[in-house]
């Protein structure tokens, strides 16, 4: 089912009695969610993710804008008539019912022509239980299940009516790290098998990046960027998006464009593509991905080494530079590299494709073509 959000906006009265200002939870959200895709709705706490999901489910009414499921305008439809499946962080299972009864619950409330026989209901419940791999747990009560198993039951319950759209609000946040990883792969598998259009809300960038066909990055109620996860990571439109995606996070420096070079501090670290037109000098934010740094004896960027963190396959080299906006610079270097830890100064070359420039006022991307110093060819 294709889902279209049209100028979707939600404002709340301020929670404080003194202030008359409105809280803009979601502002002018426009997006056509392609049929059968899994969308990761991503952003920091309070950015409007849950509100967006609640508008799509019908639990909340928009202040402005419309929602379509396919051609159908569902903006004023009650949640129970939208054909949605909902899963929340806290499972919300009925504690006194067994797993089977929990899954059957949505089916038992079907009326009129949708009404199912006991036999049909049992079959549907079993099919779904198999899909989410909980068929052995059918007679247990939620209290007798692990968090991961409870969340599977919640997913089964949301899927049993074969919803048109599946909405998941931080479904993995209550699980420990291992289960989180496993359950997110499960969600991806189930989504691929059922091909149900799914919106997955999370504040965890890695989680969103790993399972989504498309990610939508939000901040303060406003969509910042939409795209395939790799494309957004490789080409952030704004400093916010650049900083929000990636671990360790991107390193931001005070930079300058002058003499057809990018300067970090006093050092010319990259060259502007000689084929592009002369660039007027300006100050910029230069954001450098951790994997952009290449250890090089005569590299143009010098930093002060402050430590090395072992990450297994790679090491994270921690250093400082007076032009850095964060106290520490983190660079990812393959563990095979020999690092002379006695030497307090380390020098880096930078991979130009992993360096992004942003306007200092608007924090929007400045698109200039950067290339390596002199020798070129390094990407
Ligand atoms: P998220 O899910 O991304 O953490 P929410 O959608 O829950 O964000 O909230 C977005 C903004 O709207 C926040 O500033 C939040 O405080 C505000 N908000 C949410 N619900 C209400 C409400 N019922 N009344 C007033 N403000 C609200
Ligand atoms: Mg939320």
């Amino acid at each position: 089912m294709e889902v279209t959000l049209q100028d979707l906006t939600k404002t709340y009265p301020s929670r404080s009695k003194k202030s008359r200002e409105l809280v803009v939870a979601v502002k002018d959200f426009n997006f056509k969610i392609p049929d059968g895709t899994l969308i990761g709705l991503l952003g920091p706490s309070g950015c409007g993710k849950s509100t967006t999901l609640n508008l799509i489910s019908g639990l909340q009414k928009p202040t402005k804008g419309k929602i379509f499921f396919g051609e159908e305008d569902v903006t004023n439809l009650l949640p129970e008539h939208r054909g949605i499946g909902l899963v929340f962080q806290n499972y919300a299972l009925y504690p006194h019912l067994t797993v089977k009864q929990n899954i059957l619950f949505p089916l038992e409330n079907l009326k009129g022509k949708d009404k199912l026989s006991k036999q049909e209901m049992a079959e549907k419940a079993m099919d779904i239980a198999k899909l989410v791999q909980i068929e052995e747990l059918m007679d247990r009560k939620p209290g007798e299940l692990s968090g991961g198993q409870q969340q599977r039951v919640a997913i089964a319950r949301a899927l049993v009516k074969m919803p048109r759209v599946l909405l998941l609000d931080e479904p993995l946040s209550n699980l420990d790290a291992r289960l989180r990883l496993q359950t997110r792969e499960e969600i991806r598998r189930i989504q691929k098998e059922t091909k149900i259009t799914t919106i997955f809300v999370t504040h965890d960038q890695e989680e969103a990046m790993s399972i989504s066909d498309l990610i939508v990055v939000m901040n303060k109620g406003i969509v910042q960027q939409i795209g395939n996860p790799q494309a957004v990571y490789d080409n952030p439109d704004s400093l916010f998006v650049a900083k929000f995606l990636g671990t360790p996070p991107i390193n931001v420096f005070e930079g300058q464009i002058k003499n057809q070079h990018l300067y970090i501090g006093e050092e010319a670290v990259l060259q502007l593509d000689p084929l592009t037109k002369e660039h007027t000098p300006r100050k910029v934010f230069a954001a450098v991905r951790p994997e952009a740094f290449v250890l090089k004896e005569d590299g143009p960027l010098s930093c002060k080494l402050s430590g090395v963190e072992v990450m297994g396959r790679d090491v994270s080299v921690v250093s400082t530079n007076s032009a850095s906006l964060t106290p520490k610079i983190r660079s990812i270097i393959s563990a095979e590299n020999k690092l002379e830890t006695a030497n307090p100064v380390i020098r880096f070359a930078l991979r130009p494709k992993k360096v992004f420039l942003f306007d200092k006022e608007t924090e929007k991307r400045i698109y200039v073509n950067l290339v390596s110093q002199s020798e070129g060819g390094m990407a």
Side-chain angles (χ1 to χ4, degrees):
M1 177 65 53
E2 180 186 79
V3 175
T4 306
L5 311 181
Q6 207 175 73
D7 300 327
L8 201 60
T9 299
K10 178 71 180 177
T11 55
Y12 295 110
S14 171
R15 276 182 175 142
S16 115
K17 288 218 174 74
K18 283 183 209 131
S19 158
R20 299 182 133 253
E21 246 178 75
L22 294 173
V23 178
V24 184
V26 180
K27 190 167 158 46
D28 297 323
F29 199 145
N30 282 295
F31 186 32
K32 227 183 237 306
I33 300 170
D35 181 27
T37 53
L38 192 158
I39 303 299
L41 188 53
L42 175 67
S45 174
C47 75
K49 304 181 295 295
S50 293
T51 302
T52 304
L53 214 66
N54 293 342
L55 293 171
I56 298 172
S57 70
L59 293 175
Q60 285 178 315
K61 278 243 157 346
T63 315
K64 194 187 93 183
K66 287 186 170 171
I67 301 162
F68 296 86
F69 286 3
E71 299 291 308
E72 184 189 358
D73 183 346
V74 300
T75 316
N76 296 310
L77 218 53
L78 288 169
E80 56 268 34
H81 296 146
R82 290 193 186 193
I84 44 148
L86 275 172
V87 177
F88 298 102
Q89 175 176 344
N90 57 0
Y91 326 132
L93 300 172
Y94 300 108
H96 57 288
L97 300 183
T98 63
V99 167
K100 186 171 177 191
Q101 289 166 333
N102 265 284
I103 299 174
L104 284 173
F105 195 83
L107 299 178
E108 283 167 343
N109 286 322
L110 292 174
K111 304 225 165 62
K113 66 170 172 44
D114 297 327
K115 207 169 158 47
L116 299 174
S117 72
K118 279 228 145 41
Q119 170 81 20
E120 286 169 318
M121 284 196 276
E123 276 170 19
K124 273 192 194 286
M126 203 55 198
D127 286 347
I128 283 296
K130 280 190 186 137
L131 178 71
V132 304
Q133 297 171 348
I134 49 167
E135 66 266 40
E136 268 106 67
L137 308 173
M138 292 296 254
D139 297 322
R140 292 208 205 162
K141 297 263 173 76
E144 298 160 343
L145 303 177
S146 72
Q149 291 169 331
Q150 289 187 54
Q151 196 56 303
R152 281 168 193 253
V153 178
I155 293 167
R157 191 182 53 183
L159 286 175
V160 73
K161 279 204 286 185
M162 277 300 149
R164 301 199 281 178
V165 182
L166 179 63
L167 304 169
L168 309 158
D169 194 348
E170 312 246 10
L172 309 179
S173 297
N174 281 1
L175 306 181
D176 64 46
R178 254 177 72 111
L179 263 178
R180 225 170 20 233
L181 213 71
Q182 193 190 338
T183 313
R184 84 182 187 206
E185 282 163 12
E186 281 294 288
I187 290 176
R188 185 52 168 163
R189 175 185 62 78
I190 293 163
Q191 193 274 332
K192 278 198 163 143
E193 279 181 34
T194 58
K195 298 192 177 65
I196 295 175
T197 306
T198 300
I199 305 172
F200 182 102
V201 161
T202 176
H203 62 273
D204 181 334
Q205 55 93 24
E206 196 214 326
E207 198 168 283
M209 300 255 287
S210 65
I211 69 166
S212 309
D213 293 307
L214 293 169
I215 55 169
V216 177
V217 187
M218 286 183 86
N219 189 30
K220 298 182 182 158
I222 297 172
V223 171
Q224 305 293 311
Q225 193 166 352
I226 298 178
N228 152 297
Q230 191 69 50
V232 176
Y233 182 83
D234 289 339
N235 256 315
D237 283 339
S238 62
L239 185 59
F240 176 84
V241 173
K243 282 160 82 169
F244 201 74
L245 302 183
T247 40
I250 201 161
N251 303 282
V252 187
F253 296 87
E254 297 276 4
Q256 249 192 95
I257 296 173
K258 62 178 185 192
N259 311 328
Q260 292 302 90
H261 283 80
L262 169 67
Y263 282 76
I264 287 179
E266 297 303 309
E267 295 167 325
V269 294
L270 288 170
Q271 209 182 326
L272 266 57
D273 185 342
L275 298 176
T276 57
K277 69 172 175 29
E278 187 85 11
H279 222 282
T280 38
R282 66 187 291 189
K283 293 195 167 164
V284 296
F285 288 130
V288 183
R289 288 266 182 233
E291 62 274 24
F293 296 84
V294 181
L295 280 174
K296 194 160 182 273
E297 255 170 54
D298 59 348
L301 178 67
S302 62
C303 296
K304 230 166 104 191
L305 184 65
S306 55
V308 173
E309 293 166 354
V310 178
M311 300 167 71
R313 187 163 46 89
D314 302 318
V315 293
S316 165
V317 175
V318 186
S319 62
T320 59
N321 178 301
S322 60
S324 170
L325 290 177
T326 47
K328 300 279 179 215
I329 303 162
R330 283 201 159 69
S331 47
I332 304 290
I333 308 288
S334 157
E336 290 140 33
N337 270 288
K338 288 269 173 295
L339 193 64
E340 189 52 75
T341 39
N343 190 350
V345 177
I346 46 171
R347 305 196 72 93
F348 294 108
L350 300 180
R351 294 191 165 96
K353 293 270 182 299
K354 297 281 181 182
V355 178
F356 314 119
L357 307 185
F358 298 96
D359 185 277
K360 290 199 71 171
E361 297 288 320
T362 64
E363 303 195 349
K364 290 280 170 214
R365 182 86 175 270
I366 305 167
Y367 286 92
V368 293
N369 219 357
L370 296 166
V371 294
S372 298
Q373 292 280 65
S374 55
E375 75 251 273
M378 197 189 67

